[in-house]
Structure formats: structure tokens, C-alpha cells
Amino acid sequence: YISVTGRIRQFGQLRTIGMTSVQIRKSVRYEGFFLSMTGILLGILVGTVFVYFIVPKGFHFPDMVKIWLLTIAVNMFTVMLSVSKPAKIAAEASPIEAAKMNDYCKEVKGKSRGERKLTPFGLAKISSDSNKKKSTMTAVSLGIGGGFFIMGATLLVSYNQEEYSRQGEYFFGDYVLGISNNAVQTAEHGVVDIQLTKPFSKELESEIAALNGVKKITRRERFDLTYEYNNYQTSDSICSFDREDVGILEQYRQEGEGFDYDRMVQNKEIIILDNSVVKEIFGWKFEVGSKVKFRWYDGQSYCEDYFTVGGSVAELYKDQDESVRLLALNTGWFFMPKDLLKNMLPEEYDFSSEFIISVEDYKTDTIVKEFVENVADENPYLSADAFTDYLKQNEINYDTWKCVVWGLSAFIVGFALINLINTIVSNIMERKKEFAMLCSIGMSGSQLRKMIIGEGFILAVKNIVITTFFGTLAGYILIWGMREWAAPYLHWHFPVWYLMGYMVLVMAAPVIISGVIINILGRKSLVERLREGE
């Protein structure tokens, strides 16, 4: 656009020697094509290097080639669409009109000339009003870029790291004394061999409860087995539920008839957790009324039996009630009545798989942590984990995720700034003769600078208004949507300081760019600048 509007007279001269409007349009399009290909290829190179350093483990070259091709196609379409406007301007201007072309001479609706204040800012407003369509589109484009930046910043400031880390086992406490994964892998019959040793005894529970600072101990249960269904066989675990839990499961029932505890025990019925997820993973789901074959070790020998799918439940994780969350911790696909599970095993079998211990203040506690770690050190079947260690691990993951968000935000803000700079530069370069004429009738260099900066400020203010409105609305909707979906650890906060920084950056750009260009223009004498357009 800058190139074309600065060469309107040249296109008019080409028309006088026989060049058609179609040929001029093609010429401008070819110019846009060659110019854009250089930028696109350079952008692909820079973008590839940038994303590799942000997430090197996720970099996959064959997929990157697909992204390259898609990027080239989308960018070329965008460029050709954008070039169509200046190409049309160049093709439609006749030689006589080209000689007279000056955007400043366009009629402006509103106040008559006699009512306008000829101050630097007044002239800046006149110039802005003379092309409202271009000014509005540019401001909207800038505002959308800024809005996405504010949306990303809202996501960062609304993230509660501790609540995120409390979603799983640590929702119930600060220390987990559980069965060691290494011990499970080396045991002949897996978790069953370790549970048969009864490491989570009542005596140990009482000993932990007596420690200073302990608030509560949550006993978690599970039983491992293998299942066969639809010609598919693999290992999994079962979570048992009591008679009191039937009401909770009924509340989240997705398939099947109403759950009845006694009926399910008598008919050997089981409940499927998240059957829709099963469908996504395997392409099939557990059909209500169908049979699932279980195979397990009871401490002496392997047993096999068939169980009927009585229904399915879903979205237990959305509930904040402790009893519901404890059921949601189930690591497998199956829920089974506890009495039915007891019928499968010896009477003295203990299904306990871990203790989750809650303390008064996990940040200052040392007594409980040392005791739990000593228990795990003395028993090779057990392992101890602390919330503080898990929180630190998530902080590292959060920093990586934050770098990704900041990287995307940097590109968005960079695009917005380039758009702003491009608009300011194009406005100044296509009106060099106009500025020279204003100086020739008495406008000082300081007044000219204020006028040009004023035009940039008007554009920047429009940008800030759109950014604040769009960014705030989009950020709120994003946080609300993610909380409704599966992110209760997000709490909307307005990114005040990020917006303030963005405002300073956007307001400073017109001052800096205008100052640089005015200094460049000032290197030529007033007479030379007046002659440039002739």
C-alpha cells in the first residue's frame, strides 16, 4: 500500500504509454507476491527455530513440514487478498486523476471548515477523520491483537498453582504413604502380593494419627486384576463403593437402570467410569447388560468369573465434595460393590493401597514428614511422597507453559506493533508533500511533530479501548469456560499491570516512530520536499 500510493503518478505515466489497467493490476500483484515470499520464508525459519527452543521435546519434523505448507498457503491467500486493494487503486487511477491525487483533499463529513480548530491536535483529528474506514480497520486489527495478549495474560494471572496441584490425591492431604511402584513391578502378583502383607494396619494408622499436627488420615482402597472384553485383554484396577455411595453414583449415572446395591451384589453387576472416554480410546464401549471377564489372584490361586455391566457414571471429578472426589480417584474403568469384592477374596484381605495424611501446616511441618519417610525407608513395599515436592514439580511445568503463552503473546503483540508502525509510516510517507506545504505556510517543526504524534495517539487510544473491552471479555469467557470444563483451579483476575505495560508500549510507539521519520524528512530542504511530488 505504501509503495503503490507513493507511485500513483508513475502508474499514470505507464497508462499514457499504453499499459492497460489489467497489466498494472498484475504488476502490483507480482510485486506483492515476490515481496511476501521473502517475508514468509524468513518467518518460517525464525518461527521454526523459536518453537524448537520453546518445546524441543514436542518438535516433529514431518509435522513441521505440513505446518510450513499450510503457513505458506494461508499467508499467500492473505497477501493476495490484501494486495487487491492497492492493485485496484493503481489500476483505476487515470493519468489526470493520478496527477491530482491527495488523500488530504477528501471531503470530511461533520463540522464545516470554519468551525475547525487549526491546532496540531485539531489537524491530527481532521486527518484521522478524513479516512475513517482505514483508521477504524487498523484500530480493530490492533485491538484484536492486543485483546489476545490480554486474554493470555488473564490466563496467567488467574492460575492458582496450589489448587491445580490439589486436584488429585493431595486434595485430601499433604503426604501420601502408598505402595511402591518398583515393588509392584518386581512382585510376582503385583499389588496383591503387597496387600497380603497388610502394610496399612490399624496400628500404623493410629500411630500416625497421634503425631502432632495431623488433622486427618484418608484410607484409599483398590484391587488389581486383568479383564477381557470385546477380544481385548489388559490389566486394570477396581474401586469398591459402600451402600452409602450409591446415591452419589446415581447422581452421576449416564447409562443403565437405577443403581441398587443389593441387586448389584446379587447379580454381580459393575459400574463403568467414563464410558465415553473408553469409546474415544478403543473405538468401542462397555455395553449395558454385557459381560466382562475378570481374572485375579486371591492369595492362593488365580480365579476367573464374569460380571455384568449395570451402567456407567461420568464427570465425578467436577464435584468438590470429599466423598465424591475419593470415588473419582479411581484409577481404572470399574466400580464394584464392596460386598461383591469381598466375596471374591479371603475374609481377612485388606484392600488398602495408601494413606493420605492431612496436617495443620504443610509448609512448616517436619515431624509427620520425617515419620512417614522413615516408615517408607523401613518397609521396601512402601513409598512416601510430599505435597511440597509435587508443588515444586508443577512449578517447573508451569514455567514451561508460561514460556509458551509468553512466546505466543510476544508474536501477537509484535504483530500489533508492526501494524501500528506500518500505519504510521504509510500515513507519513504518502503525505510528505502535504507536510512540506504546511511548513511552507508557517507550521513549525515542533507543531508538525505534535500533529503527527497526535494522529498516532488517536490510533493508539482506539486500539487501547478495543483491546481493553475485547481482551477483558475474551479473558473472562476463557476462564469461565475452562472452569466449567475441567479447570476449577482458575479464578478470574484482571491483568492490570500487563494492560498498563501494553498501554505504555502502544503509546510510546507513535512518539518514537514519528520522531525518527520527521528527523529523516528534516534532512531535506523545504524546497526539495515540495518538488518531490512533482
Side-chain angles (χ1 to χ4, degrees):
Y1 187 87
I2 296 172
S3 175
V4 169
T5 54
R7 293 182 290 137
I8 291 298
R9 283 187 172 83
Q10 177 186 332
F11 291 122
Q13 291 171 352
L14 292 173
R15 290 290 301 275
T16 62
I17 61 174
M19 195 172 193
T20 65
S21 60
V22 174
Q23 289 174 322
I24 290 179
R25 194 188 296 264
K26 287 183 178 179
S27 173
V28 174
R29 285 178 176 170
Y30 283 134
E31 184 179 335
F33 172 79
F34 291 120
L35 183 64
S36 63
M37 278 307 298
T38 303
I40 290 171
L41 295 176
L42 180 61
I44 286 176
L45 176 63
V46 174
T48 302
V49 173
F50 187 83
V51 76
Y52 176 80
F53 281 106
I54 289 180
V55 193
K57 293 182 179 179
F59 189 87
H60 187 237
F61 187 76
D63 288 338
M64 183 56 68
V65 172
K66 296 176 184 178
I67 297 296
W68 287 348
L69 297 175
L70 179 62
T71 301
I72 292 172
V74 171
N75 274 273
M76 287 309 304
F77 173 77
T78 306
V79 168
M80 291 299 102
L81 187 65
S82 302
V83 166
S84 63
K85 175 63 175 178
K88 183 179 179 182
I89 293 173
E92 291 183 352
S94 68
I96 297 176
E97 290 174 336
K100 295 180 178 179
M101 186 168 182
N102 189 334
D103 284 343
Y104 194 63
C105 297
K106 292 180 181 178
E107 182 180 352
V108 182
K109 296 180 181 179
K111 295 182 179 181
S112 65
R113 285 186 173 84
E115 296 175 319
R116 291 175 183 164
K117 296 180 180 179
L118 296 181
T119 62
F121 183 77
L123 290 172
K125 193 171 186 311
I126 292 172
S127 177
S128 178
D129 291 342
S130 67
N131 199 338
K132 284 187 176 181
K133 183 177 179 181
K134 177 183 175 183
S135 177
T136 301
M137 289 301 295
T138 303
V140 169
S141 175
L142 293 169
I144 291 175
F148 277 112
F149 166 72
I150 296 301
M151 186 169 63
T154 301
L155 185 61
L156 291 178
V157 301
S158 301
Y159 177 89
N160 188 305
Q161 213 158 37
E162 181 166 342
E163 286 190 24
Y164 173 79
S165 302
R166 292 280 188 189
Q167 291 185 98
E169 296 168 311
Y170 292 110
F171 176 85
F172 302 94
D174 309 292
Y175 301 104
V176 176
L177 181 63
I179 296 175
S180 169
N181 289 328
N182 292 333
V184 172
Q185 293 176 4
T186 56
E188 182 180 357
H189 304 104
V191 172
V192 176
D193 282 349
I194 299 170
Q195 287 178 325
L196 288 171
T197 66
K198 297 184 178 180
F200 302 100
S201 63
K202 296 281 187 180
E203 294 76 16
L204 177 60
E205 184 177 5
S206 300
E207 196 173 351
I208 296 174
L211 294 173
N212 185 31
V214 174
K215 293 195 315 184
K216 183 180 178 182
I217 299 176
T218 302
R219 182 186 289 265
R220 187 181 172 198
E221 298 179 342
R222 87 181 220 202
F223 180 68
D224 284 16
L225 43 66
T226 60
Y227 75 89
E228 184 177 340
Y229 185 83
N230 198 31
N231 296 322
Y232 179 78
Q233 181 176 337
T234 188
S235 58
D236 208 330
S237 61
I238 284 182
C239 178
S240 64
F241 62 91
D242 294 316
R243 189 182 300 272
E244 302 81 47
D245 298 324
V246 172
I248 297 173
L249 295 172
E250 180 67 26
Q251 182 181 352
Y252 290 93
R253 177 167 57 89
Q254 298 286 313
E255 298 174 300
E257 299 179 3
F259 299 141
D260 181 272
Y261 189 85
D262 294 326
R263 185 201 72 211
M264 297 183 74
V265 173
Q266 182 179 355
N267 297 336
K268 294 194 292 187
E269 293 182 12
I270 57 175
I271 299 174
I272 306 300
L273 175 64
D274 291 325
N275 215 356
S276 59
V277 179
V278 177
K279 177 72 173 177
E280 291 178 11
I281 296 175
F282 300 111
W284 49 261
K285 67 177 184 177
F286 295 96
E287 299 293 340
V288 176
S290 62
K291 302 285 186 179
V292 181
K293 182 180 179 182
F294 285 161
R295 187 172 187 269
W296 69 94
Y297 182 71
D298 67 357
Q300 296 180 349
S301 61
Y302 280 98
C303 306
E304 292 182 357
D305 201 354
Y306 286 90
F307 295 80
T308 304
V309 177
S312 68
V313 294
E315 298 185 342
L316 290 172
Y317 59 86
K318 289 187 176 181
D319 203 308
Q320 296 301 305
D321 184 82
E322 284 198 11
S323 56
V324 181
R325 292 293 291 266
L326 190 59
L327 287 173
L329 277 179
N330 177 47
T331 55
W333 298 120
F334 309 107
F335 284 119
M336 177 181 286
K338 182 170 287 188
D339 289 338
L340 180 58
L341 186 57
K342 286 181 178 179
N343 294 339
M344 297 165 53
L345 296 158
E347 185 176 350
E348 66 278 6
Y349 192 92
D350 184 7
F351 301 103
S352 301
S353 60
E354 63 186 23
F355 285 152
I356 306 175
I357 305 153
S358 174
V359 297
E360 296 287 347
D361 188 354
Y362 73 89
K363 295 179 181 178
T364 59
D365 172 74
T366 56
I367 297 174
V368 180
K369 183 178 182 180
E370 290 177 359
F371 182 86
V372 171
E373 289 176 347
N374 288 335
V375 171
D377 290 339
E378 293 172 2
N379 190 333
Y381 293 143
L382 301 181
S383 63
D385 298 291
F387 176 68
T388 51
D389 298 330
Y390 185 64
L391 187 60
K392 290 178 182 177
Q393 179 184 344
N394 283 335
E395 285 176 356
I396 296 173
N397 296 334
Y398 172 73
D399 290 339
T400 302
W401 175 67
K402 186 166 64 174
C403 287
V404 174
V405 174
W406 276 123
L408 293 173
S409 298
F411 272 116
I412 292 171
V413 174
F415 174 78
L417 287 176
I418 289 173
N419 203 351
L420 177 61
I421 292 168
N422 182 44
T423 302
I424 295 171
V425 171
S426 64
N427 284 339
I428 295 175
M429 297 305 292
E430 70 184 22
R431 294 162 57 206
K432 289 187 293 183
K433 184 177 179 181
E434 173 195 327
F435 296 150
M437 292 176 65
L438 289 172
C439 290
S440 69
I441 60 174
M443 177 177 272
S444 66
S446 175
Q447 289 174 322
L448 178 62
R449 185 187 300 270
K450 288 179 181 178
M451 186 188 79
I452 296 174
I453 291 175
E455 292 179 17
F457 275 163
I458 291 172
L459 198 60
V461 169
K462 292 180 180 178
N463 170 24
I464 290 170
V465 171
I466 297 172
T467 292
T468 304
F469 176 78
F470 174 75
T472 302
L473 181 62
Y476 181 82
I477 293 175
L478 174 68
I479 300 303
W480 174 82
M482 292 185 70
R483 279 183 60 84
E484 288 294 314
W485 180 54
Y489 51 86
L490 293 176
H491 303 276
W492 182 81
H493 292 286
F494 185 72
V496 178
W497 295 110
Y498 292 98
L499 178 61
M500 294 293 289
Y502 180 79
M503 290 171 63
V504 170
L505 195 62
V506 170
M507 296 297 283
V511 178
I512 297 171
I513 300 303
S514 300
V516 171
I517 295 179
I518 290 172
N519 288 334
I520 294 174
L521 294 177
R523 294 173 185 174
K524 296 182 179 180
S525 67
L526 184 58
V527 175
E528 288 178 315
R529 281 186 281 162
L530 286 169
R531 286 177 176 175
E532 276 188 347
E534 297 177 358

